[in-house]
Amino acid sequence: MSYADVNGLRLWYEEHGDGRPLVLLHGGYGAVETFAPILPALARRRRVIAVDLQGHGRTADVDRPLRYESMADDVAALLRHLDLPGAEVLGYSLGGGVALRTAIQHPELVRRLVLVSTPCRRQGWYPQVLAAMAGQDARAGEQMRGTPPHQLYQRIAPRPQDWPVLWAKTGDLLRREYDWSPQVAALAVPTLLVFADADSIPVAHMAEFYGLLGGGHRPPAGNGTGRPLSRLAVLPGLTHQETPTTPLLPHLILPFLTHPLH
């Protein structure tokens, strides 16, 4: 458990377990604690490196906006700092956007990619979710005081008074349009998409995203050959908030990371 000085940022990361490196990237307003329920199962098979992204958790903010692209550069710099080419990267929600950008911007560093409850373009969220994102600002952050995310931030952040700043910067990020469909279609890294059937992302976008990765266009041969390198999983009876903590997740992730892909 330590800090790495990367890109003018003191980036907090924790290491658990042994084996091939697996990087975990939390969602908005979260921290490495997001994955606490599934961390033991993952650490039994992997050297887990859990990161607090810019302005989140134990990583203090710096004088730059929150952007998926710059946070992806931070993750890449951490992997180089730790001399870990060919890591596996898992991101949830906002962290999923960072994980995807890491694979797009630094494909030589990512062996396999797991994206949990995240779209590949901003309009992939439900309209109601986009409307809620548009209202995130410092005032909304003040209204969230006393909630579990705020209580965690108060306990671990280097500057707890930055809570409204995190909300203002996150709102600015979430209001920015993006569409990474062309880059997704060009990705060579095997990718597992995981969603909930009651996610904040409609099933139509899940299928669209999977299609960009080569899935869902044709059946494989009878012996299984010709299947896409990437995978799609939709977890029944869960919501967006539940996907990173369900015990089902390690049972999906570890076979994908371990088994040969044909």
Side-chain angles (χ1 to χ4, degrees):
M1 302 182 184
S2 184
Y3 284 102
D5 293 319
V6 297
N7 300 338
L9 189 72
R10 295 194 72 225
L11 190 70
W12 173 265
Y13 68 97
E14 300 180 6
E15 298 196 51
H16 305 267
D18 296 294
R20 188 182 292 274
L22 169 63
V23 178
L24 302 184
L25 305 176
H26 59 78
Y29 313 112
V32 299
E33 281 80 358
T34 296
F35 299 105
I38 65 170
L39 184 58
L42 296 176
R44 282 194 289 270
R45 301 277 295 277
R46 286 292 184 270
R47 175 186 173 187
V48 176
I49 300 159
V51 178
D52 282 350
L53 297 167
Q54 176 193 341
H56 291 77
R58 298 162 185 82
T59 299
D61 198 13
V62 291
D63 186 18
R64 72 178 194 197
L66 280 184
R67 296 290 183 265
Y68 293 109
E69 294 81 358
S70 58
M71 289 187 283
D73 286 341
D74 296 338
V75 173
L78 175 64
L79 291 174
R80 293 190 175 101
H81 172 78
L82 297 174
D83 192 22
L84 294 177
E88 301 156 347
V89 181
L90 180 155
Y92 159 66
S93 196
L94 179 143
V98 177
L100 178 54
R101 288 305 314 182
T102 303
I104 291 170
Q105 295 166 211
H106 307 276
E108 73 283 359
L109 295 178
V110 181
R111 174 182 173 268
R112 295 192 188 184
L113 182 64
V114 181
L115 303 176
V116 181
S117 292
T118 197
C120 64
R121 55 186 179 89
R122 184 172 180 270
Q123 295 302 319
W125 299 99
Y126 277 114
Q128 300 92 324
V129 175
L130 290 174
M133 289 177 174
Q136 295 185 22
D137 55 18
R139 181 180 299 179
E142 292 292 347
Q143 295 171 349
M144 293 297 290
R145 289 186 180 275
T147 62
H150 176 251
Q151 291 172 354
L152 175 63
Y153 189 86
Q154 286 289 107
R155 180 166 60 83
I156 65 176
R159 296 195 302 266
Q161 66 272 21
D162 283 355
W163 176 251
V165 177
L166 175 60
W167 275 76
K169 285 191 168 186
T170 302
D172 177 61
L173 169 67
L174 298 178
R175 285 186 288 272
R176 293 175 63 87
E177 286 294 336
Y178 63 89
D179 186 346
W180 302 325
S181 300
Q183 295 96 323
V184 169
L187 274 181
V189 59
T191 302
L192 170 64
L193 301 179
V194 182
F195 299 97
D197 60 357
D199 215 309
S200 299
I201 297 157
V203 173
H205 182 72
M206 302 175 195
E208 175 193 356
F209 198 163
Y210 186 48
L212 290 169
L213 292 167
H217 297 293
R218 64 191 64 85
N223 61 1
T225 59
R227 75 184 77 180
L229 288 179
S230 295
R231 304 283 189 263
L232 170 65
V234 181
L235 300 175
L238 298 179
T239 67
H240 183 81
Q241 289 73 22
E242 294 169 321
T243 52
T245 59
T246 174
L248 295 173
L249 197 54
H251 292 290
L252 292 171
I253 294 167
L254 292 169
F256 170 75
L257 298 178
T258 304
H259 294 172
L261 296 176
H262 302 290

